[in-house]
Amino acid sequence: MNILLVEDDERISKFLVKGLHEAGHQMVLADSGEKARDVIGSYDFDIILMDIMLPGLDGMQLTQMIRFRKNYTPILVLSALNSPDDKIKMLDLGADDYLSKPFHFEELISRIKALTRRNRLSYQEDNQFLSCGTLTIDTDLHKVIQKEKEIELSPTEYKLLTFLMENKNKVLSRTQILHNVWGISFDNTTNVVDVYISYVRNKIDETEKKIIHTIKGTGYLIKD
């Protein structure tokens, strides 16, 4: 999973980043609310682990901002504030779960699994079929259909097209695509995104209507 940790205590953040890395997860650390706000606007995460007491923009304000932007990534609060009022306020603001410090690492792992499993099942139920014009993706069967004909895509081509379709009507930068499809955070020298966009375009039919649009200097867009 791609996990964002928002934590300003260096001792705690080092422990969590090391442990979650060893558990097989990709970690991004933000030591302030402002840094978290910036990175949330650039990448998609499976879950956000968030402290409340942060310098500048605190966890409560950050949670409000995330939900105001209609970003529904699960938020698990990790905080030394353990009064019922603090927990209720964060949950009311849009957090999904609350774990008081100190906590056992095994419990953190269990909470992460439970939240992401719940979010993934809900997402799959609502989004089995992704469509744009004559193009449809069945995410349960991993099939791409256009005009009643199945289109054969490689696993990477399928992942790329699905990511674009999941974000239909939204411009995606090459950096966002690299991160979500290939797991690459930063690489300004590679043209792998453009190459694979070309592969996908050559396999789908755009004669009636253009499906994948190039946004010059930015990235790509699928729109109705």
Side-chain angles (χ1 to χ4, degrees), residues 153-164:
L153 297 178
S154 72
T156 302
E157 290 166 355
Y158 173 83
K159 191 174 181 181
L160 171 60
L161 182 60
T162 301
F163 180 59
L164 291 171

Side-chain angles (χ1 to χ4, degrees), residues 58-70:
D58 65 28
M60 292 186 180
Q61 295 168 317
L62 184 58
T63 299
Q64 280 184 300
M65 183 214 74
I66 292 169
R67 296 305 186 229
F68 178 77
R69 293 182 176 179
K70 301 190 183 303

Side-chain angles (χ1 to χ4, degrees), residues 24-43:
H25 303 298
Q26 296 183 54
M27 298 297 299
V28 174
L29 173 64
D31 59 9
S32 71
E34 287 78 9
K35 289 181 181 177
R37 177 191 60 202
D38 294 340
V39 78
I40 288 168
S42 301
Y43 298 106

Side-chain angles (χ1 to χ4, degrees), residues 112-163:
I112 289 173
K113 287 179 178 177
L115 278 179
T116 52
R117 181 170 60 246
R118 186 190 316 158
N119 188 60
R120 185 165 57 249
L121 287 172
S122 173
Y123 181 84
Q124 288 175 346
E125 288 171 3
D126 293 338
N127 295 277
Q128 178 184 349
F129 297 101
L130 304 170
S131 62
C132 180
T134 59
L135 190 68
T136 300
I137 299 177
D138 184 332
T139 58
D140 281 358
L141 299 177
H142 280 224
K143 284 188 175 182
V144 179
I145 308 292
Q146 189 173 35
K147 299 177 182 176
E148 301 182 356
K149 177 185 176 184
E150 184 175 349
I151 298 171
E152 296 292 336
L153 297 178
S154 72
T156 302
E157 290 166 355
Y158 173 83
K159 191 174 181 181
L160 171 60
L161 182 60
T162 301
F163 180 59

Side-chain angles (χ1 to χ4, degrees), residues 34-56:
E34 287 78 9
K35 289 181 181 177
R37 177 191 60 202
D38 294 340
V39 78
I40 288 168
S42 301
Y43 298 106
D44 292 325
F45 295 96
D46 295 295
I47 190 167
I48 299 169
L49 310 181
M50 185 189 301
D51 189 16
I52 295 178
M53 296 182 291
L54 298 166

Side-chain angles (χ1 to χ4, degrees), residues 10-29:
E10 186 176 356
R11 180 182 59 85
I12 294 174
S13 64
K14 280 185 176 180
F15 167 73
L16 291 176
V17 168
K18 182 176 184 294
L20 290 167
H21 261 311
E22 290 176 352
H25 303 298
Q26 296 183 54
M27 298 297 299
V28 174
L29 173 64

